[in-house]
Amino acid sequence: MSSLKKQALSEWTVKDFMIPAEKVAHVQLGNPVEHALLVLVESGYSSVPVLDRDFKYLGTIGKTPILKSVIGIERFEMEKLSDIAVEEVMNTTLPTLSPDTDFVTGLKEVIDHAFLCVVDGEGHFLGILTRRAILKQVLKSLYI
Ligand code: 2BA
């Protein structure tokens, strides 16, 4: 990639590509994983953010960890889904991004994660940066 193209990419920040919070499916803390699984299946996504009542980002929750939490000896014990809380299964280890994070940092982060949550200085959820949005921009930049 030419230095001109690299320069063009480095001028973008995460907020230029972010899917805004109001368009992102999410799960609220305090819900049972049964509800989270419903949100995941209905939205079609494999994993979505977990937020508290004040819309602060807490982690993400995915189909696979939920199903793992109800694996019994010979079957899925689906009746347990209503007894397990979202906080018992959610992933709290993912990095977050600021809206002003530069494009290249965002690009590096989506190598390992399908999406990352974007938060403000107080931890309020602003949206997500997806691998798709980043790849679309990289492709566009190749043809500048
Ligand atoms: P996945 O759910 O594993 O989806 C992988 C890719 O499959 C998505 O990549 C997208 O290209 C496609 N896809 C899956 N479900 C879709 C749907 N209902 N509508 C349209 N396309 C769909 P990305 O777009 O890069 O998204 C990466 C990850 O970000 C997704 O992984 C999902 O975990 C999360 N995500 C994306 N958009 C979301 C939204 N509006 N609400 C909540 N989570 C979202």
Side-chain angles (χ1 to χ4, degrees):
M1 192 181 286
S2 72
S3 57
L4 194 65
K5 286 174 183 171
K6 277 189 198 154
Q7 193 189 337
L9 281 179
S10 66
E11 281 165 9
W12 297 105
T13 62
V14 161
K15 63 177 168 300
D16 299 315
F17 305 101
M18 179 178 86
I19 299 179
E22 62 271 19
K23 292 190 178 162
V24 178
H26 73 272
V27 169
Q28 208 116 47
L29 197 73
N31 281 312
V33 291
E34 183 175 37
H35 174 77
L37 190 58
L38 271 172
V39 171
L40 288 161
V41 171
E42 278 178 0
S43 66
Y45 295 115
S46 50
S47 165
V48 296
V50 179
L51 309 180
D52 73 7
R53 281 178 179 202
D54 300 323
F55 235 62
K56 282 195 174 171
Y57 167 76
L58 297 168
T60 62
I61 190 157
K63 284 174 191 159
T64 303
I66 292 177
L67 290 175
K68 272 190 176 169
S69 75
V70 294
I71 287 182
I73 294 173
E74 287 186 341
R75 64 180 187 93
F76 288 109
E77 295 170 351
M78 300 303 263
E79 64 280 9
K80 288 188 178 165
L81 285 172
S82 54
D83 298 327
I84 302 170
V86 161
E87 40 273 54
E88 293 176 59
V89 177
M90 71 181 181
N91 178 2
T92 56
T93 63
L94 291 182
T96 55
L97 300 172
S98 129
D100 298 320
T101 302
D102 63 279
F103 182 87
V104 176
T105 303
L107 171 63
K108 285 180 187 161
E109 291 291 359
V110 299
I111 292 173
D112 290 326
H113 309 290
F115 75 100
L116 284 161
C117 290
V118 185
V119 299
D120 68 14
E122 288 161 356
H124 291 110
F125 178 70
L126 301 177
I128 58 172
L129 179 72
T130 63
R131 201 174 269 166
R132 175 184 159 86
I134 287 275
L135 286 177
K136 269 173 77 176
Q137 190 57 35
V138 169
L139 186 64
K140 249 191 223 169
S141 305
L142 286 175
Y143 296 101
I144 283 176

